Amino acid sequence: MDAMGQSGAQVGSHSVDRRTIATYAVGSLGTGGFATLPGLVLLYFLTDTLGVAALVAGIVIAAAKVWDVLIDPVIGIRSDHSLATTGSRRRFMILGGVTLPVFFFLTFAVPAGLGPAASAGWVFVAFLCCATAFSLFQVPYIALPAELASGYDDRTRLLTWRVVVLTLAILLFGAGGPLLRGISDDPRVGYLVMAAVAGLVLGAGMLVASSVAPSDKPIARRSPAQSPAAAYRAGLDTLRRSRPFRTLLGTFVLQGLATGMMLAGAQYVATWVLRSEDAVTPLFVALIAPALLLAPVWGRFARRVGKERAFALASTLFAVAALALVGLLWAPGLWVYAPVALAGAAYAGMQSLPMAMLPDVISHDARSNGEGHAGTFGGVWTAGETAGMAFGATVLSMILATTGYAERVAGASVEQSPSAILGIVLSFSVVPALLLVASLFTLRWYRLRQSDIDSPSRPAENRTVAR
């Protein structure tokens, strides 16, 4: 057995030990926190503290994330190379965990004397470095479940508890971040405090999870280093040969676009629709409290009906909840917390189930094409996830710009036009709901089932689901 099968998980048995589950799950403090806090506050920081125009702010975030998308497949194939030559992916994860807190702090440490254009440039460079550090951790982290657990249900169990921590991280950063930001009357100081505390927590979660990867050890197998061009070819090849991967990734990207848009829009809804900048905290509590309770329930439900059916139900519920939020146009009020809570209950399934399906896809591919490609799959997956979340904020910025949103510098007072309020609400309700409906159509083409994973007697190349 090679090194990737020896990581504290009992690969080949019917269970994964609790220590492996817990240690792996802690990494979601980093992944969940980084996915949540910049998505929630960075666009708002640019438009309402630095005075950057909404469209320019959206381009800044998208450009940094495009770089992230480009490097993810390269990190993925280099991670596979590291596994083949040293028996471990850990070095990438540690490097990301050490450097991310520094760049996260610098993203919000914009000197006060800079104008909007220079401030946008500062944020772009710092956030680009921050996204790079995150990818160094995230790509191998995504690849690990295929190596830590060998069974269909074992992966559901491993990923379910990861999503419990992920959900807790969303609550911690989504509600706690704005509270830390409000610790000072000076918004710039508040953002610095938030960035310092959040960055340390992000890095700590990543470093703890890095220990679940096997440590470096000399092994007989050797693999030549791959060029970036080879990395892209390998990534495209995974998409070409694996239909389950294409359909699952397409579904997840569409949903990432929807949730990224809603995440970036939450602060605008709180400030301009609910008329309280601090209302973003109870919005996140309403979203995450049901998700915390129901993440394990979705895992149990998936074992009864199948992951893909449970995923479709969760996605449908989220679409219904998002569409209901269009009522904010006519009657903003406390009722909003009910559909937000329904969205939270659905969101737990939308996160845990595709994450549990991805290792199945990797395992299924390994039967036909050999092991050692999990990092490549992880790189393409992370690139798709990053693109979805990032362009969610960009689409929001385009809607805001089109509907006449008025940016401001810290301390300035502005009023938004009715068309700007319309843009905020539609981007928080109708547009995400339509994206969720589109994702259900792509999910219909996912054909991988438990029998394809846990029945080794059937050759993978003879199964129609593979292509």
Side-chain angles (χ1 to χ4, degrees):
M1 180 182 294
D2 63 29
M4 73 179 177
Q6 302 171 359
S7 56
Q10 300 169 2
V11 178
S13 69
H14 295 291
S15 64
V16 184
D17 64 79
R18 293 180 179 178
R19 182 181 178 278
T20 297
I21 292 174
T23 306
Y24 181 75
V26 170
S28 285
L29 279 177
T31 61
F34 187 77
T36 300
L37 195 53
L40 176 65
V41 303
L42 189 54
L43 184 65
Y44 189 74
F45 172 65
L46 284 162
T47 60
D48 283 57
T49 297
L50 303 180
V52 179
L55 186 57
V56 174
I59 292 172
V60 165
I61 295 173
K65 289 295 188 177
V66 165
W67 165 252
D68 200 8
V69 170
L70 291 175
I71 64 170
D72 283 343
V74 177
I75 293 174
I77 202 166
R78 292 297 174 88
S79 173
D80 285 338
H81 173 70
S82 179
L83 181 70
T85 56
T86 70
S88 179
R89 305 180 190 272
R90 183 184 293 185
R91 63 182 64 185
F92 289 89
M93 299 171 72
I94 292 176
L95 180 60
V98 169
T99 56
L100 186 137
V102 177
F103 294 125
F104 191 78
F105 178 80
L106 289 175
T107 299
F108 294 92
V110 182
L114 296 183
S119 296
W122 176 289
V123 171
F124 167 71
V125 173
F127 193 55
L128 182 146
C129 294
C130 197
T132 302
F134 178 70
S135 289
L136 287 169
F137 173 83
Q138 168 82 337
V139 171
Y141 181 70
I142 288 291
L144 281 178
E147 300 156 13
L148 297 176
S150 59
Y152 182 89
D153 288 334
D154 282 345
R155 291 171 186 145
T156 303
R157 181 167 168 248
L158 177 68
L159 273 300
T160 292
W161 287 105
R162 179 202 159 184
V163 171
V164 170
V165 178
L166 177 73
T167 306
L168 182 61
I170 294 171
L171 176 61
L172 178 66
F173 286 89
L179 288 177
L180 286 172
R181 180 187 60 189
I183 204 168
S184 171
D185 291 335
D186 184 342
R188 289 177 179 267
V189 174
Y191 276 111
L192 284 177
V193 172
M194 178 202 75
V197 174
L200 290 174
V201 177
L202 290 170
M206 292 176 174
L207 291 175
V208 168
S210 298
S211 67
V212 81
S215 57
D216 289 359
K217 61 179 69 175
I219 59 177
R221 187 152 51 107
R222 289 292 180 263
S223 174
Q226 300 291 329
S227 67
Y232 298 131
R233 286 195 298 270
L236 290 172
D237 189 49
T238 61
L239 290 169
R240 176 192 59 77
R241 70 176 183 250
S242 177
R243 179 175 174 179
F245 185 54
R246 291 196 304 272
T247 56
L248 186 62
L249 180 62
T251 300
F252 201 67
V253 168
L254 287 169
Q255 294 190 358
L257 186 60
T259 55
M261 188 182 305
M262 294 182 74
L263 180 63
Q267 185 66 76
Y268 293 94
V269 170
T271 302
W272 301 111
V273 181
L274 300 179
R275 294 293 175 177
S276 171
E277 191 174 75
D278 295 333
V280 70
T281 295
L283 277 176
F284 262 84
V285 172
L287 177 74
I288 299 308
L292 275 172
L293 294 173
L294 292 177
V297 175
W298 282 111
R300 291 194 293 270
F301 183 63
R303 285 192 288 272
R304 292 175 60 91
V305 305
K307 298 176 191 178
E308 70 289 339
R309 292 179 181 174
F311 185 25
L313 176 61
S315 304
T316 301
L317 290 175
F318 192 95
V320 170
L323 187 59
L325 291 169
V326 74
L328 287 167
L329 279 175
W330 302 283
L334 295 178
W335 67 267
V336 70
Y337 296 110
V340 168
L342 177 60
Y347 185 72
M350 286 169 55
Q351 286 293 301
S352 62
L353 296 169
M355 288 296 184
M357 293 158 74
L358 177 61
D360 295 336
V361 170
I362 296 172
S363 175
H364 182 267
D365 177 80
R367 295 187 182 183
S368 297
N369 300 286
E371 297 181 348
H373 303 291
T376 303
F377 276 92
V380 176
W381 180 270
T382 303
E385 179 183 12
T386 299
M389 293 294 290
F391 285 107
T394 303
V395 172
L396 170 63
S397 72
M398 294 172 64
I399 294 174
L400 294 180
T402 302
T403 55
Y405 184 83
E407 64 276 359
R408 56 178 175 164
V409 295
S413 177
V414 300
E415 280 297 324
Q416 302 298 341
S417 65
S419 64
I421 300 299
L422 174 65
I424 291 170
V425 173
L426 291 181
S427 62
F428 197 68
S429 57
V430 175
V431 179
L434 292 175
L435 289 168
L436 261 295
V437 171
S439 76
L440 288 170
F441 281 99
T442 60
L443 183 60
R444 291 180 60 189
W445 293 100
Y446 184 85
R447 298 286 188 261
L448 207 57
R449 300 295 184 263
Q450 182 169 3
S451 59
D452 299 300
I453 303 303
D454 290 343
S455 299
S457 60
R458 297 174 60 197
E461 59 269 22
N462 293 334
R463 297 178 197 149
T464 58
V465 297
R467 299 185 184 276

